[in-house]
Amino acid sequence: MYVKHIILTALFFLCLALLPAPPVGAAEVVETGTCGETAQWFMYNDGTMVIRGTGEIGTSERLVRASKEDVKKIVVEGGITSIAAGTFYECSAGEVILPYSLTNIGSGAFRCSKITELSMPDSVVSVGGGAFASCDYLEKVRLSQNLKILSVGIFEYSDAIQELIIPDGVEKICKDALSKMRFLKKLVIGRGV
C-alpha cells in the first residue's frame, strides 16, 4: 500500500511538471470590435490582431484604423470564409496568417499593406483585383493550388517579389496581374494557363 502511494504521488508530480507553464508576460487585449455580422477583432498589447468568428470579415472604420496603427501581426482564425474588399488597405502588419476555412479574398483587401510574406491556403478559390497590389514589402508568395484566375492587377507594383510560382490550377492571368514588378527574377507559369 505504501509503495502504491509513493508511485501515485510521483506520477501526480510528473504530470504537473509536464503541464505547460503559463506564458510569461502574456499579451492582453487592449481593444476589440466587430468586423462583420459574426466576426470580431481583438487587438493585443503586443501588436497582434486576432480575428474570430464565422463568415466574412467586413470593413469597419475602427478595424481599418486599428490595422493601420500598431498592428505587427494579423491572425485570422478558422471559421472566417471571406475577407471583404479593402479590409486591410494600408495595413501596418508585416505578418498575416490566414485560415484553411478562407475561400475568398476581396479586391484590394491588402493593397498598400506592409505584409512581407503571403501563404495563401489551398482553400482559397477566388481573389479580387488588386488584392495585393502596391505591397512594397511583400517578398515571398505562395498561391493557393485551387486558384483558377490571377485577377486584374493582383500583384501590380509589388516590387519586392523576386520569385513567383503560378500553380498548375491557374487557367487565366488577367491584365496587369503581374505588371510593374520591376525586381521579379523568376516566374514559373503553371501548365493550366
Side-chain angles (χ1 to χ4, degrees):
M1 183 78 160
Y2 179 74
V3 174
K4 185 177 180 183
H5 178 69
I6 292 174
I7 292 173
L8 288 174
T9 304
L11 284 174
F12 173 75
F13 284 109
L14 179 63
C15 288
L16 282 179
L18 294 176
L19 287 174
V24 177
E28 295 178 15
V29 175
V30 292
E31 191 172 356
T32 186
T34 59
C35 55
E37 290 182 23
T38 54
Q40 287 186 299
W41 59 272
F42 301 85
M43 185 67 191
Y44 290 82
N45 63 352
D46 67 353
T48 300
M49 177 183 279
V50 175
I51 298 176
R52 293 187 177 114
T54 57
E56 181 178 65
I57 299 172
T59 55
S60 71
E61 182 182 329
R62 185 60 197 124
L63 170 69
V64 171
R65 199 169 62 226
S67 71
K68 289 180 183 180
E69 294 170 357
D70 299 323
V71 179
K72 296 175 186 167
K73 178 180 181 179
I74 295 174
V75 177
V76 181
E77 293 186 347
I80 299 297
T81 56
S82 182
I83 298 174
T87 299
F88 296 109
Y89 175 74
E90 292 184 336
C91 177
S92 64
E95 183 180 0
V96 176
I97 298 173
L98 302 173
Y100 284 96
S101 57
L102 189 68
T103 59
N104 177 59
I105 299 172
S107 299
F110 290 92
R111 186 179 190 92
C112 300
S113 71
K114 294 184 179 177
I115 61 172
T116 59
E117 187 172 338
L118 169 65
S119 184
M120 192 182 294
D122 289 336
S123 55
V124 174
V125 295
S126 171
V127 178
F132 300 96
S134 300
C135 291
D136 295 335
Y137 302 93
L138 183 58
E139 296 177 357
K140 295 181 180 180
V141 176
R142 183 210 169 271
L143 295 171
S144 166
Q145 297 295 313
N146 294 305
L147 199 59
K148 300 289 184 205
I149 298 172
L150 288 188
S151 57
V152 175
I154 187 172
F155 293 114
E156 186 176 29
Y157 288 109
S158 292
D159 285 341
I161 300 172
Q162 295 186 19
E163 179 177 313
L164 184 63
I165 298 170
I166 299 172
D168 290 338
V170 173
E171 298 169 356
K172 181 179 179 181
I173 300 174
C174 294
K175 180 181 179 184
D176 295 327
L178 309 175
S179 71
K180 299 173 182 81
M181 294 172 65
R182 298 177 306 194
F183 302 108
L184 187 65
K185 294 179 182 175
K186 182 178 180 181
L187 175 64
V188 178
I189 299 176
R191 294 175 297 210
V193 176

